[in-house]
Structure formats: C-alpha cells, structure tokens
Amino acid sequence: MTRVFSGIQPTGDLHLGNHLGALVNWVGFQDRADCVYCVVDLHAITSPAEHDPATLRERTLETATLLLAVGVDPARSILFVQSHLHEHAECTWLFNCVSGFGELRKMPQFKEKSEGKGETVSVGLFDYPVLQAADILLYHADEVPVGEDQRHHIELARDIGQRFNHRFGEVFTLPRAIHPPAAARVMDLQEPTSKMSKSTSTDKGIVNLLDDPARIERKIKSAVTDSATDIRFDRDAKPGISNLLEVLSAATGRSIEELIAEHDGHGYGAFKAAVAEAVIELLRPIQTRYRELASDVGEVERTLADGAARARAIAAPTLARAKDAVGLLPPA
Ligand code: TYM
C-alpha cells in the first residue's frame, strides 16, 4: 500500500492555507493509503523569535487536537509528535553528512527567513530541510501531501535519499509531493500577492480554523481586491479575486469555470458573501469537534503516545539499516 507522510509546525491555531493546501489531502489519503502524520515541534524551534517554551508545549497539544478535529483518524493513521522519537534528529545527522552547503543555502524558505539576519541566523534554520528529509525518508513515504510552498523541500528530500542510496546502497524510498488541484497556495487576504502565513500575515489577512463565523465573514468581506467588477481568474491582474475563486473552489469542490459562470456580473460584494458562507460551513464541524476533543486532553495525549510507538516501529528499523549501511559499528 502507498505510504503517505506529512508534517505541520505547531502554531496552535492553524489557518485556511494549511487546511486547503495540505490537511484536506491528509484526511482524504486515509481512505487509500497508509498514513503517518507528525506535529513537527523540532522544526518550530529553528526561529528564535517565534519560540517560547511554555507556548510551544501548549501549541503542540493544540495542533494535535486540531488535526484530530479536522479528521485525522488515529484508528487509520499514525499521529505523533516529532520530538517523541529521537530517530528524526539522529537520521538528520546522517543526512547532514551527504548534504551540501550550497544546496541548502539556495532553499527559497531559508533565503526568505534569513533575509536581513546576517550572521545571527541559526544553524537549525539552515538545516531545517534536512530534518524534513529525515521525517519523510524514515517512513519510506511514497507521497507527501503539502502546499506549494514545500515543493523545494520535498525535492531536496528526494535528492538526499537518492544520494544516500547511491553511496551506501538502497535504504530509502524516494518521495514525491502531492498538491491539491485548487488552493495549493492560499494567499493573504490583505496582500494577495503573498502567501497566507502565520509568521508574516496580519490577523486580517488570515482565516484561522477556529475564527468564529462573524470574524470569518468580516475578514473575507474586507479582503483586498481590485477596482474592476468582473470576476475572472487571472493571478497577475486580479490576485485578490483569483485567490477567493481558488478558496471557493477548494471549499465547495466546484470548478473555477463553474464558479465564474455563476458569479460574474453580480458584483464583488455578493461573491465575497458566497466565499464567506462556504468557508464558515467548511469550518463549522471542525470547530464543534475541536471543542469536544479539547475537553479531554488526556485522550489526545494517549493518542500521541500510541502514535509515537507505532511511528517508532517503522522509523527505528529504517534508521538501523541506514546506520549499518554507513558503517557505524553496532553496540555489542
Ligand atoms: P507548515 O507548518 O508551514 O504548513 C503545514 C502545511 O500547510 C501548507 N501551507 C499552505 N498551503 C497552501 N497555502 C498556504 N498559504 C499555506 N501555508 C502553509 C504547507 O505547505 C504544509 O503542507 N516544513 C513544513 C513542515 C514539515 C513537513 C515535514 C511537511 C516538516 N517535516 C515532512 C511534509 C513532510 C512546514 O513548515 O509546514
């Protein structure tokens, strides 16, 4: 059976970009693949500005709870916290030794996040994609459901796996990224030429999965658009309207052509109201389920403990094979 792996940083309240770009596919894959999903807390400590120890612990649990609310089903999938397995950090070291300084320096997300920080950028931020490669390759993942922004990271994981196999023998399966047909890159509502992002968007630019209906409506109705009146898809000339079309398409499962035919000619106001309603209805059951799950933290913790044990049963033998292939002497 196809093996699927994906991860998400523990930002607590996840947003519509995370949901439409990745999580909808995480949930969908459970019907047809063997799925492993991870809250990547080790990745979340690579940017000192965003790292507060007490908040990190809370958000890790909140993110796991929200993943369950979205529909990750522990009866069918493995859900665990990255730092609960030492194998990820250990495999990263093996991969560090087959990764090039040049290829990491070119990673678009590293370039973006390190801009202006000069020599103070952490080695962790630089090494971030190597840890991500370890996440994926330890599980022999065939497919990795992610938003468009992760494309280069998945390609790097593939390159690292290929290089390792070439030097030391076939240990790792080479993964490929899977993006949704619409909304693989959800844009900031206030700045529709930048991606919706926890770290760079303002609150008005982001729809959080736990925002109440009135707030969602307000944010979508005040989304920045252009001064024309026609509804058509053109990312360059009409980034705001194109973003809302993608969101509506992903939220309703209807094609962009169909949505244009229905809404063009009726004005931006009515169109935005339709987008807001679709997003509110999409998130309503998730919010209800989140409130139920959040009332029993113990149950979420038990799910994560069980997930870590099941994850280790896959990752530990892979790491052992990799260490053996490299020539590390096993303990007597
Ligand atoms: P993260 O935590 O930033 O985001 C989680 C998922 O949400 C997607 N996403 C988006 N999709 C569409 N539009 C957006 N505006 C948007 N913002 C975020 C991301 O593409 C991602 O799929 N490096 C990863 C976490 C990670 C990982 C992994 C992913 C660590 N190890 C192994 C896959 C496999 C990240 O920071 O995602």
Side-chain angles (χ1 to χ4, degrees), residues 176-220:
R176 66 186 188 101
I178 303 289
H179 305 301
R185 188 176 184 84
V186 177
M187 308 308 264
D188 184 313
L189 296 175
Q190 290 298 313
E191 260 183 70
T193 49
S194 310
K195 95 175 164 179
M196 185 180 284
S197 152
K198 196 80 186 177
S199 50
T200 54
S201 298
T202 59
D203 184 57
K204 279 181 79 183
I206 268 198
V207 174
N208 291 306
L209 298 194
L210 298 179
D211 279 347
D212 63 48
R215 204 178 171 88
I216 296 174
E217 189 174 6
R218 231 180 9 255
K219 287 179 178 179
I220 293 181

Side-chain angles (χ1 to χ4, degrees), residues 231-250:
I231 293 178
R232 62 189 167 83
F233 191 83
D234 181 338
R235 253 191 253 272
D236 297 324
K238 300 175 79 70
I241 290 295
S242 303
N243 187 36
L244 293 178
L245 275 169
E246 287 220 41
V247 165
L248 186 56
S249 170

Side-chain angles (χ1 to χ4, degrees), residues 7 9 15 17-18 21-22 43 128 132 135 146-147 149-150 184 186 196:
Q9 296 199 58
H15 58 71
N18 297 133
H43 279 110
Y128 181 114
Q132 182 161 345
D135 295 342
V146 282
D149 62 341
Q150 296 300 311
V186 177
M196 185 180 284

Side-chain angles (χ1 to χ4, degrees), residues 126-149:
F126 184 66
D127 206 26
Y128 181 114
V130 181
L131 174 60
Q132 182 161 345
D135 295 342
I136 298 167
L137 296 175
L138 275 173
Y139 298 88
H140 302 294
D142 303 291
E143 304 198 330
V144 186
V146 282
E148 227 284 316
D149 62 341

